[in-house]
Amino acid sequence: MKIWHTMEHTRRPRHDTPERHARTDGPATFTGRVLEVQRRTRDIAVIRVHCPEPIPFTVGQHIPIRSPLAPGTWRDYSPALPPNPEGLLEFHVRIVDGGAESRPLVVASRPGDEWTFGTPRGSLGQVLDGYRIPLDDAPPTGRHHLPEPAPRELVMVAGGTGLAPLRALIMEAADLPTPPPIHLIWGARTPGELYDLRTVIELARNLPNLTVTTAVEKRNDAPLTNPGPFSAHPAAPMPRLGVAADVAARMHRGGELAGKTVLIAGRGEMIDATRERLIGAGADPRFIHHDPVAKTTA
């Protein structure tokens, strides 16, 4: 049902890569113009871009981007929207590691800026391939015809702007013949840094297969950084206290994770710690997925 069409596309990016991982290689193949820049927090901006020629990427991939604010430098970001014929892209950009290159994108990006895009890479979205064929409503029964197994639940664990590719996967899954159950656990340092909570809760209200849990390391925001309009929703449950990995482990006690597929997105240290924590809580390493490049993202 193309759930992403319910969002405000014409007025509102991928999680950010630390400066030491900035890329200077990669061919330029597509161009697009910034439509809107929304400063969601002091350090995070949501940037929407239109490409007249849609980029042929798959959901969950990351795309090298070059902005006139950082000439000659390529940086990888994951779209927060699935591929679409309109050529609309949304990236979630955070200032990281001193911000020598990410800060200009957050602070100085303006509508009309021209961005150049390289070749998309990554395979995180392949986890949805197993759900694209609908289950038979009336499979044959008998000695040689076992019932088809129920689809594995997806547990998505996002840290900060690692939400972007997982949100795109949730939207893509909404159009599958048999959408899998999805439990998104999204962690941030404070409530105000749940910068896209309004969108996430609206998705949960419209998608019966989606459950959302938020986690914060601190209950209160620093002065002058209180939650903005996108960091709040009247239907949002109170965030649980702790990092996302610990919250995920606590919510899936008793070996429950063994039968679930886990997707992780965030910065490198977050992915490593989350993977180790969830394996310790019973998750099967064969069914834990994350993009290797996304390990360097915020």
Side-chain angles (χ1 to χ4, degrees):
M1 61 179 170
K2 295 299 179 192
I3 189 70
W4 60 269
H5 275 303
T6 65
M7 301 174 61
E8 314 165 294
H9 286 303
T10 58
R11 294 191 52 81
R12 279 208 218 158
R14 146 111 202 231
H15 34 288
D16 207 356
T17 306
E19 317 308 334
R20 63 182 180 275
H21 297 285
R23 297 174 53 247
T24 56
D25 63 324
T29 54
F30 297 89
T31 59
R33 290 196 178 276
V34 173
L35 293 178
E36 183 187 20
V37 180
Q38 289 188 355
R39 192 77 174 272
R40 295 286 180 87
T41 74
R42 180 172 56 187
D43 297 331
I44 299 173
V46 169
I47 304 178
R48 289 177 172 172
V49 181
H50 174 247
C51 291
E53 182 181 358
I55 301 173
F57 71 97
T58 58
V59 66
Q61 284 191 309
H62 49 89
I63 305 175
I65 294 173
R66 187 176 64 197
S67 162
L69 298 172
T73 299
W74 293 87
R75 298 171 61 81
D76 291 314
Y77 296 86
S78 289
L81 293 173
N84 58 86
E86 292 83 358
L88 295 171
L89 300 167
E90 179 176 308
F91 299 99
H92 298 177
V93 185
R94 180 178 195 139
I95 299 172
V96 292
D97 287 7
E101 294 171 12
S102 55
R103 182 177 297 278
L105 293 181
V106 173
V107 175
S109 291
R110 296 290 183 269
D113 289 353
E114 184 175 273
W115 286 12
T116 305
F117 299 90
T119 303
R121 297 178 298 177
S123 58
L124 188 63
Q126 290 181 1
V127 73
L128 295 182
D129 290 348
Y131 303 92
R132 297 187 187 279
I133 301 176
L135 296 177
D136 190 339
D137 291 334
T141 57
R143 181 177 177 182
H144 301 293
H145 298 284
L146 297 176
E148 295 186 55
R152 293 174 64 94
E153 178 181 346
L154 299 183
V155 175
M156 297 183 173
V157 184
T161 49
L163 171 71
L166 300 186
R167 200 192 77 175
L169 283 161
I170 289 169
M171 294 177 176
E172 179 95 344
D175 287 331
L176 296 178
T178 308
I182 298 174
H183 184 187
L184 170 66
I185 302 170
W186 179 27
R189 287 176 294 194
T190 65
E193 292 196 3
L194 296 170
Y195 65 92
D196 203 35
L197 184 65
R198 191 171 86 179
T199 302
V200 168
I201 296 301
E202 282 302 312
L203 285 172
R205 285 160 60 92
N206 285 278
L207 298 176
N209 66 309
L210 176 62
T211 302
V212 173
T213 299
T214 56
V216 293
E217 297 175 38
K218 299 179 181 179
R219 291 286 188 198
N220 299 314
D221 289 279
L224 305 180
T225 59
N226 291 327
F230 285 93
S231 300
H233 192 290
M238 178 177 291
R240 299 186 180 228
L241 190 62
V243 298
D246 289 341
V247 171
R250 292 200 304 265
M251 296 187 72
H252 297 88
R253 289 193 176 107
E256 294 179 14
L257 285 171
K260 303 180 189 301
T261 296
V262 178
L263 282 73
I264 310 171
R267 298 192 70 176
E269 59 270 24
M270 176 269 176
I271 288 180
D272 290 337
T274 300
R275 178 183 176 86
E276 181 178 347
R277 178 73 175 89
L278 297 186
I279 290 175
D284 188 333
R286 298 173 301 170
F287 295 97
I288 297 179
H289 304 274
H290 53 79
D291 193 316
V293 172
K295 291 182 68 174
T296 64
T297 63

